[in-house]
Each structure stands twice: as C-alpha cells, then as structure tokens.
Amino acid sequence: MPDELHVTREGYERLEQALDRERQRREDNIASMAGTLDDATDLENRSLNAAQLHMERPGVEARILELEDALARAVIVDPGELPRDEVTVGSVVVLHAPDQHRELTVQLVSAVEIATLAEGVTQVSDDSPVGQALRGRHRGETFTVELDSGPVRYTVRRISVA
C-alpha cells in the first residue's frame, strides 16, 4: 500500500472516533443551517446565521477527508511483532536526560495519532525532532536532539510495547 501509515491499535480507534465526531458535526451543521433558514424571521439574521454555518463547513469537510485518508492508509502495528530491542512506532521508551537529571517515558507514534489527543503515556510523533532521532535506537544508545531550548542529550534506558 503506498504511503502506509503505521499506527497503534489505540491510535486507530481514536482516529475512528474522531471521524465519527466530525461526521456528526457535519450533520449537526446541516441541520442547524436548515433550521436557521426555516426559523429566522428577518432576512438579515437568517442570512448572517446561514453564512456563519456555511463558513464552518469546509473545515469540517477537510478534517473528514483527512481522517478518511489516514484510516485508509493505516496499518496497525501488532505489539507482538514489534522488536523489543529497537525503537519503532508503537514502542514505549524510557529515556534518561542526564543533563537535566530526569527520566521520561514516551511512546513513539505516527504524527496523525498525536492529532487525536490521547491520554496516558506522553506520545512523541515519529516526524518530530525527538521522534526522528529516537527511531531505530537501541537500549543504551545516547543521542542528542536540537530543540528550541537548545541541544538535549538522551540515553535509551528501556524499550517495551504498550
């Protein structure tokens, strides 16, 4: 499949839920527009309300197309098939930032999953600077990422799957 989009099972389900919400928003928008046109007594208010609803609709339609495309290209990563010794989409990684004296746990996910706002483990997009530097790393490896705040050094402590 061209341009496969590797996503976690949870991410795929969140994408489906987001698509359902956007489709419902579209239906609500259509119903509101029809109601506005039927209920408004003066022509000026009716036109203003219809214009406001009409302006919202292209954004909803674009989001629906974006979600449908992502779901059509999605390949769900099977946690049982993920390597335990290399960071890939779906891996949960414990990182140590020695210069900041802290550890953080992150899950590497596709960029489209980030847009669905998950709860739980902090997610890092595979196209972010940290995500790009993290992909393919092994336990014990140290790498540096240039962030807005300056360079940050990380060491991969553990790799697991969610």
Side-chain angles (χ1 to χ4, degrees), residues 41 44 100:
T41 54
E44 187 175 321
Q100 299 173 347

Side-chain angles (χ1 to χ4, degrees), residues 55-68:
M55 287 174 51
E56 180 182 323
R57 195 151 174 220
V60 173
E61 293 291 344
R63 181 70 175 144
I64 287 171
L65 290 173
E66 176 186 341
L67 290 165
E68 288 173 341

Side-chain angles (χ1 to χ4, degrees), residues 31-152:
S32 292
M33 188 175 294
T36 295
L37 294 176
D38 289 343
D39 295 343
T41 54
D42 87 43
L43 186 59
E44 187 175 321
N45 281 342
R46 181 171 38 188
S47 296
L48 180 60
N49 290 341
Q52 288 172 337
L53 290 169
H54 186 70
M55 287 174 51
E56 180 182 323
R57 195 151 174 220
V60 173
E61 293 291 344
R63 181 70 175 144
I64 287 171
L65 290 173
E66 176 186 341
L67 290 165
E68 288 173 341
D69 176 63
L71 287 166
R73 294 184 301 123
V75 175
I76 298 172
V77 293
D78 179 357
E81 294 178 8
L82 290 177
R84 305 276 187 217
D85 63 341
E86 181 180 331
V87 179
T88 63
V89 169
S91 296
V92 176
V93 184
V94 176
L95 294 173
H96 176 69
D99 301 334
Q100 299 173 347
H101 305 291
R102 68 182 186 126
E103 279 194 355
L104 61 148
T105 302
V106 300
Q107 182 178 26
L108 186 65
V109 298
S110 67
V112 71
E113 287 186 70
I114 294 289
T116 58
L117 299 173
E119 296 177 6
V121 174
T122 300
Q123 294 182 327
V124 173
S125 170
D126 63 349
D127 68 352
S128 70
V130 173
Q132 289 176 1
L134 189 55
R135 185 187 282 262
R137 298 285 176 182
H138 297 88
R139 184 172 182 258
E141 281 190 64
T142 298
F143 60 97
T144 302
V145 178
E146 190 64 42
L147 301 176
D148 291 341
S149 59
V152 178

